[in-house]
Amino acid sequence: MGNLRSYLYIEGPAQDHCFDPPSVNYSIVVATATEDRFLVTYSCIRGYHLEGKRELFCNKTSLEWDSPVPTCLLGHCPNPVLVNGQLNSSKLEPVSEKEVVSFKCDNDYILKGSNWSQCQQNHTWTPPLPICIPGQCEPPTKPDHGHFKTRDFKSGSNVSFHCDNGYQLIGSQSLQCMEGEWSDEPPICQAKREAPVETKEELCAFQERNNICESIQTLMQCQNENGKTLEELKYSLEIKKLQLEKIKAFMSTEIK
């Protein structure tokens, strides 16, 4: 079952402030002391793997270790786990060095990563252990004042979005389900802005034409239809007259 003792190697000045490093069964400990802190590094012996932080620091002022003590557990690498899937190994626990495992996901799940991995000398799995993700996406959010169309929500499927009359689409019109996630955020439907409508006063504004008499006659008729008094019409014409005189004076100056 291995040696229960921990072997300690101290490098640097002898430490005289921190307590002895915590003992971990089936491990080798390398300790380094400096003037202000004490560092210990744990390595598990062959056939065991480390659970927890590999390096611990002890501050000589507080005399406390910065993390909980790790442990060395049976098995050269951590036992492989595949949620929503199955794995095939040449042997049962514990895991030994160079052991190879293969992976397969359950129905309706997709394997993300390699379908095999090997336990390495440094107690890690290479390639990294895969995971099983859902094979289809959750239904996307239906936009207010709109809807979407699709055959299904399986990986690779597309969904298109459409807005009701009077609304326009803001965002991506089409999304694709990729490994359980949609390619983009669902769009929204925003009300269209209507073109401004001219008021009766704007329609009755003085429209200058080649025949000024015709323009005045049209303006008088429009003002009369809108209930304008003769005095109000006279005032409007006086204002327009001043504007025309300013334009005429400016043009005369430019010609000179």
Side-chain angles (χ1 to χ4, degrees), residues 12-206:
Q15 66 91 13
D16 55 2
H17 294 83
C18 285
F19 298 108
D20 291 337
S23 177
V24 176
N25 292 335
Y26 309 107
S27 71
I28 297 175
V29 184
V30 177
T32 305
T34 63
E35 293 183 357
D36 59 344
R37 65 179 185 175
F38 192 57
L39 167 68
V40 293
T41 303
Y42 294 92
S43 299
C44 296
I45 64 176
R46 182 181 292 273
Y48 290 80
H49 66 277
L50 191 73
E51 290 286 341
K53 191 176 179 181
R54 184 175 299 276
E55 294 183 339
L56 269 65
F57 290 98
C58 176
N59 188 301
K60 290 185 178 181
T61 302
S62 63
L63 301 180
E64 294 181 352
W65 297 97
D66 67 332
S67 300
V69 182
T71 57
C72 287
L73 302 180
L74 187 61
H76 191 78
C77 288
N79 293 328
V81 176
L82 186 65
V83 180
N84 298 316
Q86 306 168 10
L87 55 90
N88 182 23
S89 175
S90 58
K91 54 183 290 188
L92 299 176
E93 303 177 2
V95 177
S96 59
E97 184 180 349
K98 297 187 181 301
E99 183 175 352
V100 177
V101 294
S102 58
F103 306 94
K104 180 181 179 182
C105 291
D106 298 336
N107 294 334
D108 298 329
Y109 287 87
I110 299 176
L111 189 72
K112 188 173 184 179
S114 174
N115 64 351
W116 67 275
S117 188
Q118 185 179 45
C119 178
Q120 303 298 312
Q121 186 177 1
N122 63 355
H123 308 276
T124 63
W125 290 98
T126 303
L129 299 178
I131 59 174
C132 291
I133 61 176
Q136 65 179 26
C137 295
E138 293 292 329
T141 302
K142 175 181 171 293
D144 293 337
H145 309 290
H147 61 281
F148 60 78
K149 296 180 180 179
T150 183
R151 292 182 303 172
D152 51 51
F153 304 114
K154 295 181 179 179
S155 182
S157 297
N158 292 294
V159 55
S160 61
F161 294 84
H162 307 272
C163 293
D164 299 338
N165 292 334
Y167 292 84
Q168 60 183 355
L169 197 71
I170 305 297
S172 300
Q173 183 177 6
S174 179
L175 304 183
Q176 185 177 39
C177 179
M178 304 171 63
E179 296 183 344
E181 299 289 339
W182 291 109
S183 57
D184 202 348
E185 292 295 325
I188 61 174
C189 291
Q190 187 179 77
K192 293 181 180 179
R193 294 184 178 179
E194 297 182 357
V197 179
E198 292 183 323
T199 63
K200 290 185 177 181
E201 292 185 357
E202 291 173 332
L203 292 174
C204 288
F206 185 85

Side-chain angles (χ1 to χ4, degrees), residues 202-240:
E202 291 173 332
L203 292 174
C204 288
F206 185 85
Q207 302 293 327
E208 187 176 358
R209 297 181 175 85
N210 293 333
N211 190 335
I212 190 168
C213 293
E214 181 181 346
S215 299
I216 295 175
Q217 183 179 2
T218 303
L219 176 61
M220 291 178 64
Q221 181 179 355
C222 185
Q223 295 281 11
N224 185 51
E225 291 176 353
N226 285 277
K228 298 290 184 180
T229 64
L230 190 60
E231 288 296 325
E232 290 173 332
L233 177 59
K234 180 180 178 181
Y235 178 76
S236 299
L237 291 174
E238 290 291 339
I239 295 296
K240 187 59 182 178

